[in-house]
């Protein structure tokens, strides 16, 4: 693998940047692998990367039906934070946060992780009580957090309408300084490049049509393009399509796939240097380095696999944004899109063994999977390497919906993705 | 944006008047105390999530406030059929897939 550096950039500038090595190979799959990962999004590629790098399992294939990082990895609003309420979720997302903090160095690929902080606004007394509780819980778990009052919020985001004339006045916020944003595509590309360099085969344009199961044990996958590919263990990381794959394996998951929409504005001069979210008015925004406002909507309440949602959902989100930022009222929106998110009843993921032996699922991240990408990949890789779940993943077994040990994160997950 | 035919109001109305209330035709266990944890968990949390034909319960929240069933394709979003609670759907998914 070609090492990226400032010197390399200078060197290649002399040949007009025409001689850069290809970032990853485009191999034909082998007949058999130790581990097959179905799904080449951020989480799947991170899993492959950590499997090869940290756990020494390099005979790995990632099978992707489209192109790498072309699903929800390309469609999210790139926010990274770890201020979750419950211990189980907080530990998992904080594990991811710690990996984010060294990720660009680790991958030798600039994922543009920018810790610009994240505000979760409170508009009612109950919001503020919940914020205090969550910040206290975060601090006990070693996660940074502060409770801010209206004046302190105003100082951080001068363009936010903090007046008491607002329909839902800002009473305060929780503030996580280490939260931020990252460049979503670079995360997928960085992990793909790293995995490829360690010998992982990235198989694109190949849809898994069936899982091959013999005597209750998964032994491989069947693809249209390359026929059967065998493996000792199979990990499915396919987000919105998890239920479809689970059905192939003969069991059900407590997931429902919903459209989740987002939109970006035309690029404008720097005005918002942090992430602002509000569960109450149901909108959130940040500004990308390019200058466009990145705005996330809520999910459409109906099930859908169509990667598009209803206009009314977008309209509600824009109403919330204009309510919070009257100054944005004349900004024009450039693009709007949808992804399919697999939501769990308790707003927490499923990282789990399944009724089929050697088949593992990493799914159910719902509206907030991007922030967990490295952590999710790391714990899932550990689980796939050892054949038993990583301690951080154990509370997220799919069997929690039978024994009732849910991790109810609706409060901290909220609208925030 | 869906235009949904309410079988009680006998009119097409815009989606915003309605709320989806999840999968249709889920029967509450007759004797909940006799359920195993698995059965109860499945009744509570496990829902069909097909890519294709799906039967779901909608409520005309800003209209007659009555519940009814909708058969919809979750891939194309096309509404195949609307029918009242207690009725059986005439459009169903192929059992093969």
């Amino acid at each position: 693998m070609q090492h990226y550096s400032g010197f390399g950039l200078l060197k290649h500038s002399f040949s007009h940047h025409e001689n850069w090595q290809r970032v990853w190979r485009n191999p034909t799959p082998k007949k058999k692998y130790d581990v097959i990962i179905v799904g080449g999004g951020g989480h799947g590629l991170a899993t492959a990367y950590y499997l090869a790098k940290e756990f020494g399992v390099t005979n790995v294939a990632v099978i992707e039906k489209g192109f790498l990082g072309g699903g929800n990895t390309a469609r999210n609003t790139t926010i990274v934070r770890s201020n979750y309420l419950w211990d189980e979720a907080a530990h998992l997302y904080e594990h991811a946060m710690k990996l984010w903090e060294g990720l660009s160095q680790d991958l030798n690929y600039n994922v543009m992780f920018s810790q610009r902080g994240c505000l979760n606004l409170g508009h009612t007394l109950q919001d503020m009580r919940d914020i205090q509780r969550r910040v206290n819980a975060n601090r006990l778990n070693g996660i940074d957090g502060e409770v801010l009052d209206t004046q302190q919020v105003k100082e951080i985001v001068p363009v936010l309408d903090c007046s008491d004339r607002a329909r839902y006045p800002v009473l305060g916020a929780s503030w996580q300084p280490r939260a931020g944003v990252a460049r979503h595509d670079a995360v997928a590309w960085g992990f793909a490049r790293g995995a490829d360099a360690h010998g992982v085969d990235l198989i694109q344009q190949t849809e898994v049509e069936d899982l091959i199961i013999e005597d209750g044990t998964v032994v491989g996958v069947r693809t249209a393009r390359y026929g059967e590919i065998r493996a000792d263990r199979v990990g499915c990381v396919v987000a919105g399509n998890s239920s479809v794959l689970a059905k192939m394996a003969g069991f059900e998951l407590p997931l429902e796939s919903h459209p989740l929409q987002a939109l970006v504005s035309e690029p404008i001069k720097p005005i918002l240097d942090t992430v602002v979210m509000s569960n109450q008015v149901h909108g959130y925004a940040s500004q990308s380095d390019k200058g466009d406002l990145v705005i996330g909507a809520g999910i459409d309440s109906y099930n859908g696999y169509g990667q598009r949602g209803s206009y009314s959902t977008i309209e509600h989100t824009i109403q919330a944004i204009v309510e919070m930022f009257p100054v944005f009222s004349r900004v024009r929106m450039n693009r709007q899109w949808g992804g399919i998110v697999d939501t769990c009843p308790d707003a927490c993921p499923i990282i789990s063994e399944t009724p089929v032996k050697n088949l593992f699922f990493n799914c159910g991240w719902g509206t907030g999977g991007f922030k967990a990408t490295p952590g999710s990949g790391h714990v899932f890789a550990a689980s796939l390497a050892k054949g038993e779940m990583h301690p951080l993943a154990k509370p997220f077994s799919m069997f929690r919906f039978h024994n009732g040990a849910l991790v109810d994160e609706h409060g901290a997950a909220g609208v925030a993705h | 944006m869906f235009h949904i035919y309410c079988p009680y109001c006998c009119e097409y109305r815009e989606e915003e008047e309605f709320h989806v209330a999840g999968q249709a035709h889920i029967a509450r266990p007759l004797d909940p105390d006799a359920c195993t944890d698995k059965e109860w968990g499945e009744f509570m949390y496990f829902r069909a999530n097909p890519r294709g034909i799906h039967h779901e319960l909608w409520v005309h929240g800003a209209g007659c406030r009555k519940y009814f069933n909708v058969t919809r394709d979750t891939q194309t979003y096309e509404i195949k059929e609307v029918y009242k609670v207690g009725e059986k759907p005439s459009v169903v998914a192929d059992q093969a897939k």
Side-chain angles (χ1 to χ4, degrees):
Chain A
M1 183 176 79
Q2 199 169 28
H3 187 79
Y4 291 161
S5 65
F7 176 72
L9 204 59
L10 186 69
K11 191 180 84 183
H12 279 279
S13 69
F14 293 118
S15 54
H16 304 282
H17 296 290
E18 282 172 0
N19 296 318
W20 287 100
Q21 190 184 22
R22 277 195 174 271
V23 182
W24 52 76
R25 298 164 295 131
N26 205 3
T28 308
K30 294 184 255 183
K31 286 281 159 226
K32 179 153 189 319
Y33 288 94
D34 292 345
V35 176
I36 284 179
I37 293 157
V38 184
H43 290 235
L45 293 166
T47 307
Y49 172 74
Y50 288 116
L51 260 175
K53 181 177 167 261
E54 297 232 337
F55 303 101
V57 186
T58 53
N59 189 21
V60 175
V62 177
I63 301 182
E64 165 58 45
K65 77 171 172 182
F67 55 93
L68 300 178
N72 292 345
T73 304
R75 294 160 193 272
N76 66 80
T77 49
T78 78
I79 293 159
V80 176
R81 61 187 177 92
S82 63
N83 53 355
Y84 279 69
L85 174 65
W86 298 105
D87 291 355
E88 296 87 348
H91 291 159
L92 183 62
Y93 288 104
E94 180 62 13
H95 181 58
M97 179 63 88
K98 286 183 176 145
L99 290 168
W100 276 115
E101 287 176 328
L103 196 61
S104 290
Q105 295 301 321
D106 185 35
L107 293 174
N108 178 233
Y109 201 97
N110 186 5
V111 298
M112 295 167 70
F113 181 49
S114 158
Q115 292 178 294
R116 55 184 66 185
C118 172
L119 284 167
N120 290 74
L121 302 180
H123 300 268
T124 65
L125 286 175
Q126 187 58 44
D127 274 359
M128 292 313 296
R129 291 185 198 112
D130 289 341
I131 282 170
Q132 263 161 11
R133 180 184 179 207
R134 184 161 48 76
V135 167
N136 285 335
N138 289 159
R139 292 171 77 124
L140 287 171
N141 274 322
I143 298 165
D144 58 326
E146 285 170 51
V147 180
L148 306 185
D149 62 23
T150 312
Q151 192 52 41
Q152 288 166 306
V153 173
K154 180 92 188 155
E155 279 162 22
I156 293 173
V157 191
V159 292
L160 185 70
D161 181 7
C162 289
S163 70
D164 50 11
R165 291 190 306 276
R167 173 71 181 83
Y168 301 100
V170 175
L171 301 186
S174 76
W175 170 241
Q176 187 185 16
R178 282 161 70 238
V181 294
R183 167 108 167 84
H184 51 351
D185 293 325
V187 176
W189 297 335
F191 276 124
R193 173 171 170 266
D196 180 83
H198 283 98
V200 172
D201 284 351
L202 308 174
I203 318 289
Q204 301 182 66
Q205 304 291 333
T206 305
E207 183 165 0
V208 169
E209 292 191 322
D210 206 359
L211 298 164
I212 309 166
I213 294 165
E214 291 171 1
D215 300 329
T217 306
V218 73
V219 293
V221 300
R222 187 171 294 119
T223 64
R225 196 165 163 204
Y226 296 110
E228 281 187 17
I229 307 173
R230 300 232 150 201
D232 294 334
R233 289 187 185 130
V234 176
C236 295
V237 201
V238 295
N241 287 302
S242 296
S243 296
V244 179
L245 249 78
K247 201 174 176 191
M248 290 176 193
F251 61 91
E252 291 200 337
L253 290 167
L255 298 175
E256 291 194 283
S257 297
H258 293 277
L260 174 65
Q261 301 179 89
L263 59 166
V264 295
S265 74
E266 60 190 343
I268 52 177
K269 292 252 169 106
I271 188 165
L272 184 61
D273 63 354
T274 184
V275 181
V276 181
M277 323 184 132
S278 167
N279 285 353
Q280 189 67 245
V281 302
H282 218 271
Y284 66 98
S286 63
Q287 189 175 20
S288 76
D289 291 352
K290 203 168 66 184
D292 31 15
L293 298 171
V294 184
I295 296 166
I299 59 170
D300 284 84
S301 53
Y302 51 80
N303 290 21
Y305 283 85
Q307 294 191 322
R308 62 187 190 282
S310 293
Y311 176 70
S312 49
T313 307
I314 291 284
E315 199 174 21
H316 290 157
T317 299
I318 290 301
Q319 284 165 355
I321 294 297
V322 174
E323 167 73 24
M324 288 195 287
F325 301 99
V327 69
F328 292 163
S329 65
R330 292 190 191 174
V331 176
R332 283 165 296 192
M333 293 300 143
N334 235 358
R335 291 181 292 123
Q336 157 263 331
W337 64 90
I340 321 167
V341 296
D342 44 332
T343 54
C344 258
D346 61 354
C348 271
I350 291 174
I351 313 173
S352 178
E353 296 152 312
T354 66
V356 178
K357 200 161 176 267
N358 292 341
L359 178 65
F360 299 82
F361 266 73
N362 182 353
C363 59
W365 289 92
T367 57
F370 177 74
K371 67 174 83 68
T373 304
S376 155
H378 188 265
V379 298
F380 199 49
S383 310
L384 281 168
K386 295 184 184 128
E388 67 169 284
M389 300 318 292
H390 186 280
L392 286 177
K394 273 189 181 149
F396 300 101
S397 162
M398 64 178 278
F399 302 108
R400 72 179 186 268
F401 298 97
H402 289 148
N403 64 27
L406 307 190
V407 188
D408 182 13
E409 274 297 355
H410 281 286
V415 66
H417 315 298
Chain B
M1 174 74 81
F2 297 141
H3 281 102
I4 300 172
Y5 183 81
C6 172
Y8 296 100
C9 300
C10 302
E11 269 182 40
Y12 283 92
R13 297 289 182 87
E14 287 192 351
E15 179 192 332
E16 277 187 281
E17 291 191 15
F18 300 85
H19 288 293
V20 70
Q23 187 188 340
H25 308 301
I26 296 175
R28 186 181 167 85
L30 290 173
D31 186 3
D33 291 337
C35 283
T36 61
D37 285 354
K38 188 165 186 290
E39 285 166 349
W40 186 249
E42 273 166 22
F43 164 67
M44 288 288 284
Y45 300 117
F46 286 67
R47 297 289 178 265
N49 188 24
R51 184 164 65 191
I53 299 289
H54 189 39
H55 307 289
E56 46 194 24
L57 196 61
W58 285 72
V59 58
H60 195 180
C64 63
R65 297 169 70 184
K66 285 186 175 141
Y67 283 85
F68 58 94
N69 298 312
V70 173
T71 303
R72 197 171 56 85
D73 188 319
T74 59
Q75 182 75 48
T76 63
Y77 295 178
E78 186 194 350
I79 294 172
K80 302 281 188 188
E81 186 185 15
V82 173
Y83 54 103
K84 292 178 182 172
V85 168
E87 293 175 356
K88 289 262 178 287
S90 64
V91 182
V92 291
D94 286 344
Q95 287 305 312
K97 192 66 193 170

